């Protein structure tokens, strides 16, 4: 208890005053990276419904695209490729990575906030730290393979902070992370991870990343076929429980995450009105 009180006081002393309004919002994911109680996933829900109080809704659209919705009504699509399905819905914000064309698009009509995982200068990392309503969106850059070589900081891992949850999307990750990158990510309660084992990284390398991050909920993505997904589940089964969501949508909250770190298998489904 004394440790929690101390951490709380430390956070309060760092909160910006009115005169510091231009400073970045404090990242609780980094600040209290080891202070999260264990918790289990909540119920399924329809993506058009209001998000429950203190909750986050995640909908797996396909490939590495997820729709993430906050209680405050902010909607974000990850690794946006321009097509969500037979719907007129447009998210408030999208993130993109350029490792492959299936992870980004120039078709951004109606999207107000676009977060590219790369900058306009080759080898210079993007830098995002933006508040949208009740959501903080930030990134940690990573290297990508490019034209037979390596482009440093060419892609990004995006972190979404909302409802006191820290949600990480590894994107099209090509490298095992450094200590500095792990520190920059901080605590990740929920992790979307590519498990294809070829286009991104070998599965054993990706498993080491997942094991070190040790998120409460791990959602496999970018798995192409059931055999690759099954291989990842088998490889992680000693450290993580495995549950099947029974669909493409789940709602999570801080006090209902699994007590044992759990891989949550979601079935991709395009959005439809």
């Amino acid at each position: 208890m004394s440790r929690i009180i101390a951490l709380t006081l430390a956070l309060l002393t760092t909160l910006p005053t009115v005169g510091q309004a231009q400073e970045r919002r404090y990242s609780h994911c980094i600040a209290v990276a080891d202070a999260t109680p264990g918790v289990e996933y909540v119920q399924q829900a329809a993506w058009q419904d209001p998000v429950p109080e203190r909750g986050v809704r995640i909908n797996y659209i396909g490939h590495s695209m997820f729709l993430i919705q906050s209680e405050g009504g902010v909607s974000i699509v990850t690794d946006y490729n321009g097509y969500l399905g037979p719907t007129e819905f447009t998210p408030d914000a999208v993130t993109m990575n350029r490792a492959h064309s299936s992870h980004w698009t120039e078709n951004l009509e109606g999207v107000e906030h676009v977060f590219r995982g790369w900058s306009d200068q080759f080898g210079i990392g993007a830098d995002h730290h933006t508040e949208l309503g009740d959501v903080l969106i930030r990134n940690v850059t990573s290297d990508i393979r490019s034209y037979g070589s390596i482009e440093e900081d060419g892609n990004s891992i995006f972190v979404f902070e909302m409802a006191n949850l820290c949600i990480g999307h590894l994107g099209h990750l090509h490298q095992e992370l450094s200590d500095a990158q792990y520190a920059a990510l901080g605590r990740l309660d929920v992790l979307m991870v590519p498990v294809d084992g070829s286009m991104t990284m070998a599965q054993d390398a990706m498993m080491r990343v997942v094991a070190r991050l040790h998120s409460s909920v791990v959602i496999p993505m970018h798995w192409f076929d059931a055999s690759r997904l099954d291989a990842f589940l088998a490889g992680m089964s000693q450290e993580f429980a495995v549950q099947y969501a029974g669909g493409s949508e789940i709602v999570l909250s801080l006090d209902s995450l699994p007590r044992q770190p759990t891989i949550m298998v979601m079935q991709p489904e395009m959005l439809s009105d």
Side-chain angles (χ1 to χ4, degrees):
M1 179 64 70
S2 61
R3 184 185 182 192
I4 295 175
I5 293 173
L7 284 167
T8 302
L9 290 174
L11 283 172
L12 289 174
T13 59
T14 60
L15 290 175
T17 64
V18 174
Q20 297 173 311
Q22 299 303 311
E23 292 187 6
R24 287 185 168 188
R25 167 173 152 181
Y26 203 80
S27 170
H28 71 271
C29 301
I30 297 174
V32 289
D34 59 350
T36 304
V39 279
E40 58 197 62
Y41 83 98
V42 192
Q43 73 275 17
Q44 300 179 34
W47 68 271
Q48 300 97 331
D49 294 341
V51 177
E53 184 179 2
R54 296 187 298 277
V56 174
R57 181 166 54 237
I58 299 174
N59 184 286
Y60 185 24
I61 300 171
H63 206 54
S64 57
M65 280 201 303
F66 291 85
L67 169 62
I68 305 172
Q69 295 170 291
S70 75
E71 178 188 357
V74 177
S75 58
I76 305 156
V77 172
T78 63
D79 274 18
Y80 181 64
N81 65 19
Y83 183 68
L84 302 176
T87 177
E88 296 183 1
F89 170 77
T90 300
D92 300 307
V94 300
T95 66
M96 300 189 298
N97 275 303
R98 68 176 177 187
H100 292 282
S101 60
S102 53
H103 296 256
W104 70 280
T105 182
E106 294 180 351
N107 177 22
L108 296 164
E109 183 178 358
V111 179
E112 186 174 357
H113 304 280
V114 179
F115 297 89
R116 294 175 175 84
W118 66 95
S119 73
D120 293 332
Q121 293 181 275
F122 188 91
I124 303 298
D127 182 16
H128 300 294
H129 194 107
T130 302
E131 289 185 66
L132 295 179
D134 59 341
V135 179
L136 172 65
I137 301 175
R138 60 185 179 89
N139 74 310
V140 175
T141 57
S142 64
D143 300 344
I144 60 170
R145 298 182 295 271
S146 178
Y147 302 105
S149 61
I150 299 296
E151 179 185 352
E152 295 184 0
D153 299 319
N155 267 2
S156 289
I157 298 167
F158 283 94
V159 179
F160 312 95
E161 303 187 19
M162 63 188 86
N164 293 317
L165 285 170
C166 308
I167 302 169
H169 185 281
L170 292 183
H172 209 278
L173 186 64
H174 289 178
Q175 63 161 112
E176 289 197 60
L177 303 178
S178 66
D179 289 342
Q181 287 169 314
Y182 282 114
L185 288 172
R187 184 190 88 234
L188 294 181
D189 304 298
V190 182
L191 180 68
M192 290 91 158
V193 54
V195 301
D196 58 278
S198 57
M199 300 294 289
T200 54
M201 291 199 302
Q203 279 197 343
D204 58 347
M206 196 67 75
M207 289 177 190
R208 288 193 291 270
V209 173
V210 173
R212 176 157 174 179
L213 288 170
H214 206 64
S215 302
S216 294
V217 172
V218 173
I219 303 175
M221 63 178 183
H222 208 259
W223 38 269
F224 301 140
D225 60 61
S227 64
R228 302 189 191 197
L229 174 62
D230 290 344
F232 175 78
L233 297 178
M236 300 301 298
S237 61
Q238 292 188 348
E239 298 182 62
F240 289 77
V242 177
Q243 292 187 15
Y244 292 83
S248 62
E249 302 149 337
I250 58 173
V251 172
L252 301 169
S253 65
L254 182 60
D255 60 0
S256 64
L257 295 172
R259 295 186 180 278
Q260 178 182 357
T262 298
I263 298 174
M264 181 64 58
V265 180
M266 301 172 66
Q267 292 299 319
E269 183 178 348
M270 304 298 281
L271 301 184
S272 174
D273 293 333

